[in-house]
Every structure is written in structure tokens, then in C-alpha cells.
Amino acid sequence: MRITVKTLGAAVVATTVALGTAACSGETGAADGGSGEETIEVNFGYIPDFNGTSLLAIAEEQGMWEEAGIEANTPSFTNGPLQIQALGTGDLDFGYIGPGAFWLPASGEAKIVAMNTLGQADRVVGQPGIESMEDLRGKKVAVPEGTSGDMILTLALDAAGMTKDDIELVPMEPSAIVAALSSGQVDGAGFWYPALATVQEQVPDLVEIASNKDFEETMAFPTAFVASNELVENDTEMVDRVLAVLREAIEYRAENMDDAIAATAEYNDLAVEDVEGDAANVEILSLEDIDTMTEDGTVDDWLTVMGDYFVDAGKLESAVDPSEYYTGDLFLEAGM
């Protein structure tokens, strides 16, 4: 069952989710699908783009939740940090984050329980006539703080020998950035697709100044699923069941991309062609990819490099060993 959360305040988010959950909850009983296990209720946050939605859409369409004896309540959020807050207050059990929010699990506020995709959707953009980072010096640049948009902006500034002190930084929520770019209220932004496609309808000459691909030789941009610290520590059954569903959905997505796109479009009430455009900015990882890269240390390498970035960006005081917040062992065990 989907619940839409559109408020920007963490306290209101928590209240809204809690009320939605209460309205959807019921007594547990025998699980559907003949598993013989007791049905459990899970609150799983998501962002309504291909990265953040596709696995949940597949799990619903293919009956994976039902087969696992899970009643999934899935509230929609505008970004990862809000979901981390909801995990901390107990209003979510699981959530989805992009790379810009990885510093929050690294700082101890949640656990990363599953890798998802490699994102290629982030951009630094400028209004027509702005062609470089130097052209943004002293200009208004919008960014959703603590997100992948913030991350790509910081990386692009550093590559140009600049810092955030060289621009007029304007923190905004994603919906506000769409409006501000479309109306010319800001000169640029650290932002992402598919929201940028909406902006381009109003500003067809919007300039892409920097993207993930400019930095892929030194940094990966993984997206991931997170869980509350308390849940990982105290409810191994729920974690194992949810991870088993995610593993099944990851495998299905890699083998059935057209179906995954269609399911995501239906789930978010979007046109299929819009979701196709969004998915074009995603590097899909198969289940074998994720398992192998978890086992051989590739994921740890990604997280180490990202951790160094977050230290330099002032998000972390010092580097954190990935084993402190990435529970790759639990993800692998869920497949056994």
C-alpha cells in the first residue's frame, strides 16, 4: 500500500507516515502465498524515480511481498535524508537513498542493507549563457542539501578550483528547484533527472555543466537501501525476509528491463516514455554483480572513496570503515 508524503518538515513527515501506517495496519495472520509464515508489516520508504521505485514496483506487481508474507506500506519521499530521519524515529523500517546521503549511514544513523544501482542522473546545470563552473561564480545556485545534487555540485566546484563560498548557495527542496530553474529565479543548480527533464520543457537551452560521468574514474555513485539500526540489531527475521524480496526483484529487473520500466511507470502514475528516459541514466547491477562486488571488496572500495569525499566536504569528521554501516553479509545470507 502506497502512502504519499509531501511535507518538508521531519516532524510532519513522521506524523503523516505514522497516521498512514495506522490506517493500513491490521492483525497479523498466516502469510499469503502458502509460505506458512506469519504475515509481517513493513514500512518501506522510496523516492518516485526509477532507482528508488523499480524494485518496489516489481515486488508488488510480481506478488513477491505476498509470497514472503509481507504487507508492505510504501510512503513516498522527496529525498534520502528525510527517510533517514523517519528511520530514526521508528516511522520507517527501510528506505532508499542516493549517493549524496551515504554520509548519514556512515555517521551511524542507519545501516546500508543492500546495494541497488549506479546512478548517472546527477548534473550541475546553468541557465542559457552559463557554460562553466567559473560562470557560476557569485551566482545563485540551488541544491537539495545532503543529496546527490549536493554531491555533484561539490565535486564540480572542487574540480574547477572553487568552493561553495564562491557561489551564492540556495538550499531548496527538489520541487522548489524545478520551479526556480524554470522561472529563472536561480542561475544554476546541483540536481538530477528525471526532474531536470521537467525543467527543460520550460528552459530548452538549459546547460549541463557537469555530470557523474565526469568523475566516474575516481568515484562510483551507488544507490542503496537502508534500514534502521534498531531493526538490523533486533529483528533479523524481518531483515532477512525483506532482503530476500529485494534480491528476487534485483534479479528480475536485470532480466526484464522493459517490464521493470512499465511497472515503475504504473506505480508512480507516469508515462512509460518518461520512465524510459529516467532509466537511461541508470547503470543496472545484476544480483550476481552485487553479490560478487560485495564479496570481493569492490563495494567497500566505493564506500571508502565516498567516505574520503564526505570527510573533505565536512560531512564526516573522520573516515569510517564500511563494515560499520554496510551489512553486506546479511544481504548475501538472505540468498542462502
Side-chain angles (χ1 to χ4, degrees):
M1 182 174 296
R2 274 163 277 164
I3 308 164
T4 301
V5 179
K6 295 184 178 178
T7 178
L8 305 182
V12 182
V13 168
T15 302
T16 304
V17 176
L19 289 174
T21 300
C24 300
S25 62
E27 293 183 4
T28 58
D32 293 328
S35 68
E37 295 178 302
E38 184 180 71
T39 298
I40 58 176
E41 185 172 330
V42 172
N43 298 316
F44 203 132
Y46 75 104
I47 294 174
D49 58 17
F50 186 79
N51 277 327
T53 304
S54 53
L55 295 189
L56 302 188
I58 289 167
E60 180 177 286
E61 181 191 65
Q62 297 297 314
M64 296 175 185
W65 293 127
E66 185 177 3
E67 290 176 5
I70 294 172
E71 180 184 344
N73 304 314
T74 56
S76 172
F77 287 79
T78 58
N79 61 55
L82 284 177
Q83 293 178 72
I84 298 290
Q85 291 178 23
L87 290 173
T89 58
D91 294 300
L92 281 183
D93 301 307
F94 296 86
Y96 160 83
I97 61 172
F102 272 45
W103 68 276
L104 290 163
S107 65
E109 296 193 30
K111 296 285 193 260
I112 295 175
V113 294
M115 289 293 148
N116 181 30
T117 60
L118 292 177
Q120 299 290 341
D122 304 304
R123 303 287 189 275
V124 176
V125 296
Q127 297 287 0
I130 295 176
E131 303 289 341
S132 67
M133 293 304 297
E134 184 62 36
D135 290 342
L136 287 173
R137 186 180 294 274
K139 302 291 180 63
K140 291 182 179 179
V141 182
V143 68
E145 288 189 303
T147 68
S148 58
D150 192 349
M151 188 177 192
I152 196 70
L153 176 62
T154 303
L155 288 167
L157 285 168
D158 182 67
M162 299 166 64
T163 71
K164 289 179 179 177
D165 291 335
D166 294 311
I167 60 175
E168 185 179 340
L169 191 69
V170 186
M172 285 187 179
E173 285 296 314
S175 59
I177 291 178
V178 171
L181 281 171
S182 298
S183 62
Q185 294 176 7
V186 296
D187 301 292
F191 207 32
W192 53 72
Y193 285 97
L196 280 173
T198 301
V199 177
Q200 288 173 324
E201 293 175 2
Q202 303 297 320
V203 189
D205 295 328
L206 192 74
V207 179
E208 293 187 2
I209 299 170
S211 73
N212 302 89
K213 289 186 179 297
D214 296 328
F215 307 100
E216 61 185 1
E217 290 187 6
T218 56
M219 180 178 292
F221 296 87
T223 70
F225 297 99
V226 289
S228 71
N229 293 319
E230 183 177 357
L231 182 71
V232 171
E233 182 177 353
N234 297 323
D235 198 338
T236 56
E237 180 184 356
M238 180 185 288
V239 172
D240 186 65
R241 279 209 232 176
V242 168
L243 290 182
V245 170
L246 291 179
R247 289 180 62 88
E248 186 178 2
I250 287 168
E251 188 168 27
Y252 183 93
R253 179 178 61 190
E255 297 173 355
N256 304 275
M257 270 294 287
D258 288 345
D259 288 351
I261 288 169
T264 301
E266 181 176 358
Y267 201 86
N268 288 331
D269 194 23
L270 296 171
V272 170
E273 55 266 29
D274 291 340
V275 179
E276 286 177 337
D278 183 13
N281 290 305
V282 176
E283 182 178 340
I284 296 297
L285 300 175
S286 70
L287 184 59
E288 182 179 0
D289 289 336
I290 297 175
D291 282 352
T292 299
M293 290 187 290
T294 295
E295 292 173 326
D296 69 12
T298 299
V299 174
D300 284 352
D301 290 343
W302 294 345
L303 298 178
T304 298
V305 172
M306 293 175 75
D308 292 340
Y309 157 79
F310 288 125
V311 171
D312 291 341
K315 298 293 188 181
L316 293 175
E317 291 185 4
S318 60
V320 181
D321 191 301
S323 64
E324 294 293 317
Y325 60 96
Y326 175 47
T327 60
D329 56 334
L330 298 182
F331 182 78
L332 296 171
E333 288 169 7
M336 297 179 180

